[in-house]
Amino acid sequence: MDFRQLEYFKAVVEAGSVSQAAKNLNMTQPPVSHAVAKLERELGVRLLERTAKGVNPTKAGLYLLSKGERLVADRNRAVETLKLMGEGAVGDLHVGVEPMVINEIIADVLAEFLEQVPSAHVSLADVTPDVIVQGIQSGGLDMGCVPFAPAQFAGFVADICDWSPIIEIDIKLAVPKYRAKEHHPDGKGWGRWILPSPIPAFSGMPDAAEKALAADESFEVLEVSTPQTALAFVAAGLGVAPVTERMAGKSDAVALLDPPRWLRPMQATLLWKRGAEITPLMERWLQATRIVAEHRRALGR
């Protein structure tokens, strides 16, 4: 049994005769008669009661008609959904995002994406970069966004992932407000730095600070899970921390200074599994990301 047979059978029942059904379908009568007869043979039951006035459905025919209409409707919905999926207009997208880049760009990307594809469902996982890589490798995440440039990737990350750099994110040095007028060339002399814990998958702020401040006797590190966590400690006078302006917001207890030269801007980068299919929905996400990044660059921020 196929959908064509069901459609012909439905047309015959609605028309009350094979000849009228053929006319309604813009066909000749033999193919319609053949399709219905073949359907009866395949199912092993008579579906139509043939009379001098035309045809009427048997009990089996009425049963098939009720179920067949649902099957055809389900088929039509499935075809339409698959078409929309092919266009990247519907579907599920699972994205892992490092918390810092949510504030900096991903919130705007999500807004742009949903404006383009309102019927899509996006699941955002707010996780650390190493968890993002694990999720991409396992297939639990379709894509991820991390605040690292490809040059900062460990070798195994480059083996696992393909990527697309998005945009640079400027860094500021958050210091307690009462220390805002202090001057510390190259960042030396600040004492305690509040930094994210080192991640084997990426080299970042902790590695840069350890290298640049190795000879600074006052240098020590208070490790935190994310850069956002550091702000409360800076406000409490516990040290200084690299942050972004968006992340810092407005605080009466924190001042933002230009960072030392060795503390370079972050690079937000999209990741996905190397060699994996870039689905139409993933392509839409990439497109939304590029639109937001271009807009940011045009505004100079």
Side-chain angles (χ1 to χ4, degrees):
M1 182 176 67
D2 61 35
F3 286 106
R4 181 179 57 83
Q5 291 171 315
L6 287 174
E7 289 168 348
Y8 289 177
F9 171 69
K10 180 174 179 289
V12 169
V13 172
E14 290 175 346
S17 73
V18 175
S19 59
Q20 185 59 49
K23 290 179 182 179
N24 294 344
L25 293 168
N26 295 316
M27 298 174 61
T28 58
Q29 183 174 332
V32 178
S33 297
H34 177 73
V36 173
K38 183 180 179 183
L39 181 60
E40 288 181 315
R41 287 197 304 273
E42 289 176 354
L43 296 177
V45 65
R46 191 153 53 96
L47 301 173
L48 295 173
E49 186 75 42
R50 290 145 177 98
T51 69
K53 294 182 179 181
V55 296
N56 294 307
T58 63
K59 287 185 178 180
L62 288 172
Y63 177 82
L64 177 62
L65 188 64
S66 66
K67 296 297 183 181
E69 286 180 337
R70 182 180 300 175
L71 288 172
V72 171
D74 287 345
R75 187 278 307 267
N76 292 340
R77 282 194 294 270
V79 168
E80 181 62 23
T81 298
L82 289 168
K83 180 181 177 183
L84 291 171
M85 289 179 70
E87 296 170 353
V90 297
D92 296 321
L93 186 67
H94 301 275
V95 183
V97 187
E98 196 278 339
M100 182 181 291
V101 295
I102 292 178
N103 287 328
E104 297 305 319
I105 190 169
I106 293 301
D108 291 340
V109 171
L110 180 60
E112 174 69 28
F113 177 81
L114 291 178
E115 184 175 333
Q116 293 182 21
V117 198
S119 297
H121 177 260
V122 180
S123 175
L124 285 179
D126 178 358
V127 292
T128 55
D130 53 332
V131 174
I132 290 173
V133 173
Q134 292 168 12
I136 289 173
Q137 184 177 27
S138 68
L141 295 174
D142 299 308
M143 307 186 83
C145 188
V146 296
F148 300 101
Q152 296 174 283
F153 295 0
F156 72 91
V157 176
D159 292 338
I160 294 169
C161 299
D162 281 327
W163 58 82
S164 177
I166 306 171
I167 196 170
E168 285 191 343
I169 301 170
D170 289 333
I171 295 293
K172 291 291 186 180
L173 186 64
V175 306
K177 198 70 168 267
Y178 68 87
R179 300 186 66 184
K181 294 184 179 180
E182 294 182 19
H183 181 61
H184 296 284
D186 291 330
K188 296 176 181 177
W190 281 112
R192 183 183 296 113
W193 284 66
I194 305 166
L195 299 169
S197 301
I199 301 173
F202 305 94
S203 61
M205 295 176 188
D207 306 278
E210 290 282 355
K211 182 177 179 180
L213 302 176
D216 179 5
E217 294 183 358
S218 73
F219 175 63
E220 61 176 290
V221 174
L222 172 61
E223 290 187 0
V224 292
S225 58
T226 66
Q228 291 91 324
T229 310
L231 281 168
F233 296 144
V234 174
L238 293 176
V240 302
V243 299
T244 67
E245 289 191 53
R246 280 198 172 199
M247 184 198 312
K250 294 181 179 180
S251 171
D252 293 334
V254 174
L256 299 181
L257 308 180
D258 289 334
R261 289 173 296 177
W262 50 265
L263 196 55
R264 306 296 302 164
M266 293 186 301
Q267 170 75 67
T269 303
L270 277 180
L271 306 176
W272 60 92
K273 193 170 186 178
R274 179 173 292 278
E277 174 195 5
I278 299 180
T279 66
L281 207 59
M282 291 168 66
E283 187 58 49
R284 291 278 192 132
W285 185 266
L286 279 164
Q287 181 183 1
T289 303
R290 289 165 184 153
I291 289 172
V292 172
E294 288 171 7
H295 180 65
R296 291 280 186 86
R297 282 190 285 266
L299 294 175
R301 59 184 179 89

